């Protein structure tokens, strides 16, 4: 099976501009491709993770990745998939986020000499002469075509600013610059980026002629990432300080039955033959598939040692007893006590398993709260420091939210 065929079999490819030429390039390790990452936070998240896995696959086959950090485009904000305007960031914040991205990406991509590049579009976008850009690039863009692009439709309903309208031109200019400076001949991105990617392809072909061939490929990254990358507490981050390895493991351990094989194909590096065998699994066997998925992805992001710890913690939770050392922990202090005790609702709030006491009350009254496997139904149940001391206990809300409670 060729690399391109494997990408298709794994469900990664959504749209391509020139399939035969793209096959030739990536199958023979001739592609120099880029994916853009706007540094809108100080950590990459699950949506980015899908892109990084793809870059790793292609690099392993001899292709050269370029990770483009959008230090310049982040000052504008991509309107794709949004109904409101993105918050403006300072240059200092953008630079800090860029530095964080580079550190995280290095776990997936080999940035050794000649193997991959990381570049920042602030290096060329921030020094552009506006009139020169209009003459050099603007003449190649049809406003009618731009307004029909999917990435602008939602924003048009509430009002698309001229600032955001320029995003397609900026992204297209990125592709042109990368082509000219580094021989980048292919752009990858999520399906919501298709219009922007086509803009870059058309710009290169218009300015440099047919011999200067550029190609784009659209992968089902952003839509999948947005669907899968959210939990009750927010986004799933790759930074262990924002999403712990245990929580990251649990997130994948709890994917829907219908999604587990899709995730295994798209995100892990397990052989397709092994994953295809799991197609026959059902019932409790699907839980084993989820454990494999969670372990493999946690190992990719956080390393094998953290993956093993997370796996041990999860087994202790679901099997009862066992080693709870690697579970998320909430420490109760004297400040959390009222008249020397803390009630069950206070525990739920202090551990962040509930946002408010009223929410905690509902959880208890509905029978969704337990301690070390024993259901708690009395909202007046209280705990003293002596009861909280020692090795602690496991507080659980619902099927998937839990933590180890300690007292200090």
């Amino acid at each position: 099976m060729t690399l391109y065929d494997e990408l298709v079999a794994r469900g990664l490819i959504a749209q391509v501009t020139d399939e035969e030429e793209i096959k030739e390039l990536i199958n023979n390790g001739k592609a120099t491709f880029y994916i853009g990452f706007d540094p809108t936070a100080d950590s990459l998240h699950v949506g980015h993770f899908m892109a990084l896995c793809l870059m790793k696959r292609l690099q392993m086959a001899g292709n050269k990745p370029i990770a483009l950090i959008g230090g310049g485009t982040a000052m504008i904000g991509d309107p794709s998939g949004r109904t409101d305007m993105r918050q403006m960031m300072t240059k200092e914040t953008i630079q800090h986020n860029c530095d964080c991205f580079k550190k995280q990406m290095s776990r997936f991509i080999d940035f050794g000499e000649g193997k991959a590049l990381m570049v920042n579009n602030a290096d060329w976008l921030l020094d552009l002469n506006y009139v020169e850009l209009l003459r050099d690039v603007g003449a190649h863009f049809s406003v009618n075509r731009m307004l029909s692009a999917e990435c602008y439709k939602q924003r048009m309903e509430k009002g698309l600013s001229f600032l955001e309208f320029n995003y397609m031109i900026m992204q297209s200019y990125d592709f042109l610059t990368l082509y000219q400076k580094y021989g980048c001949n292919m752009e990858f991105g999520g399906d919501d980026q298709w219009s922007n990617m086509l803009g870059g392809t058309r710009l290169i072909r218009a300015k440099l002629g047919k011999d200067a061939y550029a190609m784009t490929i659209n992968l089902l990254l952003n839509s999948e990432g947005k669907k899968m990358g959210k939990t009750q507490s927010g986004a799933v981050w790759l930074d262990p300080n924002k999403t712990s390895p245990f929580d990251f493991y649990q997130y994948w351990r709890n994917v829907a039955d219908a999604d587990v094989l899709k995730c295994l194909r798209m995100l892990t590096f397990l052989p397709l033959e092994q994953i295809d065998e799991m197609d026959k699994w059902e019932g409790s066997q699907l839980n084993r598939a989820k454990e494999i998925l969670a372990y493999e992805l946690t190992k990719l992001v956080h390393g094998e040692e953290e993956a093993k710890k997370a796996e041990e913690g999860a087994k202790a939770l679901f099997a009862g007893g066992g080693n709870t050392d690697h579970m998320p922990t909430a420490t109760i202090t004297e400040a959390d006590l009222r008249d020397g005790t803390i009630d069950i609702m206070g525990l739920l709030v202090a551990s962040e398993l509930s946002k408010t006491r009223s929410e905690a009350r509902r959880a208890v009254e509905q029978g969704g709260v337990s301690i070390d496997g024993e259901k708690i139904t009395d909202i007046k149940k209280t705990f003293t420091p002596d009861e909280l001391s020692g090795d602690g206990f496991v507080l659980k809300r619902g099927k998937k939210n839990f933590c180890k409670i300690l007292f200090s």
Side-chain angles (χ1 to χ4, degrees), residues 58-118:
L58 269 78
Q59 187 179 50
M60 289 169 63
N63 298 286
K64 184 176 180 179
I66 298 177
L68 176 67
I69 306 299
T73 40
M75 299 189 73
I76 296 176
D78 183 3
S80 301
R82 294 185 65 90
T83 57
D84 59 347
M85 188 169 169
R86 293 183 187 269
Q87 184 177 357
M88 293 285 191
M89 296 186 294
T90 65
K91 290 182 180 180
E92 292 74 20
T93 298
I94 291 172
Q95 185 56 54
H96 171 72
N97 293 350
C98 289
D99 294 339
C100 294
F101 276 24
K102 183 171 185 179
K103 182 179 179 181
Q104 291 178 341
M105 286 180 180
S106 296
R107 290 192 63 90
F108 297 85
I109 304 168
D110 182 357
F111 287 103
E113 186 174 355
K115 295 183 178 180
L117 290 171
M118 178 176 287

Side-chain angles (χ1 to χ4, degrees), residues 284-295:
S284 61
Q285 287 180 305
L286 283 177
N287 288 330
R288 177 56 187 151
K290 294 178 185 181
E291 290 171 354
I292 293 171
L293 172 70
Y295 181 83

